[in-house]
Amino acid sequence: MSLRIVVAVKYVPDATGDRHFAEDLTTDRDAVDGLLSELDEYAVEQALQIAEEADDAEITVLTVGPEDAKDALRKALSMGADQAVHVEDDALHGTDALGTSLVLAKAIEHVGYDLVVCGMASTDGTMGVVPAMLAERLGVPQVTLLSEVKVEDGKVTGRRDGDAASEQLEASLPAVVSVTDQSGEARYPSFKGIMAAKKKKVESLDLSDLGIEEDEVGLAGAWTKVDSAAERPARTKGTIITDEGEGGKQLAAFLAEQKFI
Amino acid sequence: MGEVLVYVDHVDGAVRKPTLELLTLARRIGEPVAVHLGAGADTAAATLAEHGAAKVLAADLPVFAEYLVVPKVDALEQAVAAVSPIAVLVPSSAEGKEIAARLAVRLGSGIITDAVDLEAGEDGPVATQSVFAAAFTTKSRVTKGVPVITVKPNSAAPEVAPAAGTVEQLAVTVGEKSTGTKVVSRTPRESTGRPELTEAAIVVSGGRGVNGAENFKVIEDLADSLGAAVGASRAAVDAGWYPHSNQVGQTGKSVSPQLYIASGISGAIQHRAGMQTSKTIVAINKDPEAPIFELVDYGVVGDLFEVVPQLTEEVKARKG
């Protein structure tokens, strides 16, 4: 039987751009170009490698986001994913992590899955909570923050490198996996891959397709509220010297003056 | 005043500093009740009491170590049911965030992660966060359920505020679905003898300019002279020169020490995201145009292999 893999990805504002908040204190998605979150490329890559190892596998890449989020799906399809699902609904604007995990979980169940693969966090919100929330909502094992992952005989195994220890984990499928940026460089889409992606199926779903009420999501349905967002004041310009043989000593004098030595 | 649950991060009863910071923040909004899972509750209780814990709810089951994350969520959920707290605070470690995430789903509560400050507000605790690579500071609060908030290390100076710290056993029932992910083996990290990166008062980091694993000794020597932790940029880690556990930046650790010394690091957004809330920033870089110099309090344009060893010698000399 075919191994059904769903990769959950996020379309984010480019982190190298000048990111801002919109008036309603949600992320301003117009100010900066969007793209597939870099950390999700690792998830797509690991899904592709797992699929290559399996006899028969199908990868569905899934995102929740505005119209432009299709770009993130196209990128994943051009890397080699088989098909895509885009959950798009005006009522989703301002949805928090809990709401997002609800929509993703329903969409994953709608698609059908043996394995869900996620990145370690998004590069905009950077919370890193969605994989654990998905496992909780789907009621399946969470095998997260892996720097190495393998699927074999209905089991997922992997290595989780924590602060205090490195752990070897094992769980039965179905399961939710998240992979870190240490899991292996993501491939670049080939020209052939880019051309093929244009013909791949992208299914669009809205909240009613998933049986989700509008008030469960969106800014009004969020269980947290941002009251204010202030730009961090620029750091005051410091002293910059050029080393002419005494740079280390001058730096030491500064550190002593600041009572660090 | 309501009770605030504080999840204790510890190693066999040795309480890690971020938990003491959490107790200090918890006292601003209510009465801290610590939740200690695993061995060593009696040892930990003394430290927890000294920093304001009125009670210590303890449970020590083998499943906490044998299975990933979820049995701890069961325990914390049951602690919430027993205490009916006004908030739950968890350290922002990788595991802490996952525990908080699942707890929030179960409680039907809003969640805030990576708070850098916390204060009491009219409508519940107000959390300060540093977002978009620390370019913005936001203030947020949870509007539904018991607020679940994870707090970053170095968010407060731990205060001594003696309280009873009475140890009470917490009865924990572990759900059938909570033992889905087995921890087959665990290899502890070898201790370097240096302070923990996220907790250190001083961090010395090396980047692309260090140009080789063997050259990191220059960085380590400076760190040791200052009693500092060692960090590395993503470029240095990706090149295999230093372990990922020491990476500072968006996909590594985010640090906020009193003093951050960047050597041979250009200061890409990826790196800045992890260090720009440091109090004093110092950089050594060959390139006068390196973006890191926009952040510094003191910068030296020069060869790090000249400047850093000279600095190390001078620090040693001054410290005697």
Side-chain angles (χ1 to χ4, degrees):
Chain A
M1 208 185 97
S2 175
L3 178 72
R4 296 165 302 168
I5 304 174
V6 178
V7 187
V9 301
K10 189 173 181 186
Y11 178 73
V12 299
D14 188 344
T16 59
D18 196 9
R19 292 175 294 181
H20 277 86
F21 284 93
E23 256 175 54
D24 63 359
L25 298 180
T26 60
T27 303
D28 184 347
R29 288 175 173 275
D30 297 326
V32 176
D33 285 344
L35 42 67
L36 170 63
S37 174
E38 188 208 334
L39 293 171
D40 292 341
E41 290 185 15
Y42 295 94
V44 175
E45 176 61 37
Q46 288 309 310
L48 290 168
Q49 291 190 20
I50 290 165
E52 284 159 8
E53 289 289 314
D55 291 336
D56 180 19
E58 185 172 59
I59 301 175
T60 304
V61 54
L62 163 69
T63 200
V64 176
E67 170 68 25
D68 292 346
K70 281 199 173 62
D71 290 354
L73 295 175
R74 287 283 168 219
K75 172 85 185 274
L77 291 173
S78 66
M79 286 172 73
D82 299 299
Q83 56 183 26
V85 172
H86 182 193
V87 184
E88 186 190 1
D89 199 306
D90 288 344
L92 284 166
H93 174 80
T95 304
D96 64 3
L98 284 154
T100 302
S101 69
L102 173 72
V103 178
L104 285 172
K106 295 273 189 193
I108 289 164
E109 281 169 340
H110 169 92
V111 172
Y113 71 102
D114 301 298
L115 179 70
V116 178
V117 186
C118 306
M120 63 191 286
S122 65
T123 57
D124 56 350
T126 70
M127 292 177 76
V129 293
V130 166
M133 287 177 176
L134 279 180
E136 179 69 35
R137 290 193 188 276
L138 295 168
V140 300
Q142 106 172 46
V143 197
T144 45
L145 298 171
L146 303 179
S147 42
E148 248 175 48
V149 60
K150 208 167 159 187
V151 174
E152 226 170 25
D153 305 328
K155 275 188 180 157
V156 52
T157 55
R159 195 182 78 235
R160 172 173 164 121
D161 294 323
D163 285 342
S166 183
E167 294 166 327
Q168 202 63 40
L169 305 179
E170 183 185 295
S172 298
L173 297 180
V176 173
V177 157
S178 79
V179 298
T180 72
D181 62 337
Q182 299 300 298
S183 58
E185 210 52 44
R187 68 194 67 186
Y188 287 103
S190 64
F191 179 71
K192 208 176 135 201
I194 294 167
M195 296 313 287
K198 294 184 178 172
K199 298 194 185 95
K200 288 176 180 170
K201 190 177 124 200
V202 178
E203 185 186 4
S204 283
L205 299 173
D206 62 16
L207 290 175
S208 64
D209 295 324
L210 298 174
I212 297 171
E213 298 296 325
E214 284 192 7
D215 60 7
E216 293 180 83
V217 296
L219 199 51
W223 295 352
T224 45
K225 186 172 187 310
V226 179
D227 286 325
S228 69
E231 205 158 353
R232 198 182 163 75
R235 293 185 76 104
T236 34
K237 186 107 180 127
T239 310
I240 294 175
I241 61 154
T242 301
D243 178 38
E244 280 160 2
E246 298 281 302
K249 286 184 181 168
Q250 286 167 278
L251 185 45
F254 170 79
L255 296 181
E257 186 190 300
Q258 302 288 318
K259 310 271 186 252
F260 289 116
I261 313 175
Chain B
M1 199 158 70
E3 289 166 309
V4 179
L5 279 192
V6 171
Y7 180 82
V8 178
D9 188 7
H10 68 97
V11 181
D12 295 329
V15 181
R16 295 180 60 181
K17 189 164 153 260
T19 301
L20 306 181
E21 298 166 11
L22 253 57
L23 288 169
T24 298
L25 292 173
R27 285 196 299 112
R28 295 187 191 164
I29 50 178
E31 185 175 65
V33 173
V35 179
H36 181 105
L37 305 180
D42 290 325
T43 319
T47 314
L48 298 168
E50 190 189 351
H51 291 85
K55 267 191 290 191
V56 178
L57 302 180
D60 185 8
L61 301 175
V63 283
F64 294 141
E66 291 167 355
Y67 298 93
L68 193 71
V69 173
V70 200
K72 293 174 180 166
V73 181
D74 293 348
L76 200 52
E77 184 190 16
Q78 286 157 43
V80 169
V83 173
S84 302
I86 54 166
V88 180
L89 307 186
V90 182
S92 267
S93 60
E95 183 181 74
K97 288 212 274 189
E98 292 187 331
I99 291 172
R102 298 187 72 126
L103 183 70
V105 172
R106 287 192 192 179
L107 298 177
S109 287
I111 176 173
I112 291 173
T113 58
D114 295 326
V116 294
D117 199 6
L118 204 57
E119 60 205 1
E122 266 176 40
D123 306 310
V126 177
T128 305
Q129 288 164 288
S130 195
V131 304
F132 291 161
F136 281 82
T137 302
T138 60
K139 286 191 189 290
S140 309
R141 64 201 152 79
V142 167
T143 51
K144 182 167 177 291
V146 182
V148 177
I149 301 172
T150 80
V151 182
K152 277 194 173 186
N154 275 332
S155 293
E159 291 166 9
V160 170
T166 318
V167 179
E168 287 177 19
Q169 290 307 313
L170 176 71
V172 176
T173 313
V174 175
E176 225 174 276
K177 284 192 167 177
S178 303
T179 52
T181 306
K182 196 169 169 33
V183 179
V184 181
S185 67
R186 179 177 284 118
T187 315
R189 270 187 199 291
E190 275 180 43
S191 170
T192 57
R194 299 193 181 95
E196 179 67 32
L197 185 56
T198 52
E199 300 167 18
I202 303 179
V203 174
V204 181
S205 288
R208 197 184 298 276
V210 177
N211 200 25
E214 64 285 0
N215 298 341
F216 252 87
K217 186 159 188 315
V218 175
I219 305 298
E220 291 180 336
D221 287 347
L222 175 58
D224 292 342
S225 77
L226 291 163
V230 176
S233 73
R234 183 173 178 175
V237 171
D238 282 354
W241 302 339
Y242 222 66
H244 179 252
S245 52
N246 294 71
Q247 184 175 318
V248 173
Q250 187 166 52
T251 59
K253 302 280 160 46
S254 110
V255 301
S256 198
Q258 296 295 313
L259 172 63
Y260 189 84
I261 303 181
S263 308
I265 293 176
S266 65
I269 182 80
Q270 217 291 127
H271 189 71
R272 294 210 305 265
M275 49 65 74
Q276 79 176 329
T277 57
S278 304
K279 208 149 180 214
T280 299
I281 298 174
V282 164
I284 300 128
N285 202 299
K286 265 199 296 209
D287 176 10
E289 305 296 324
I292 192 84
F293 285 125
E294 292 162 19
L295 301 178
V296 299
D297 297 283
Y298 200 90
V300 181
V301 179
D303 181 353
L304 77 92
F305 295 105
E306 302 285 337
V307 178
V308 173
Q310 190 181 68
L311 172 59
T312 307
E313 285 315 308
E314 191 67 16
V315 171
K316 284 185 188 162
R318 283 174 185 256
K319 282 193 165 180

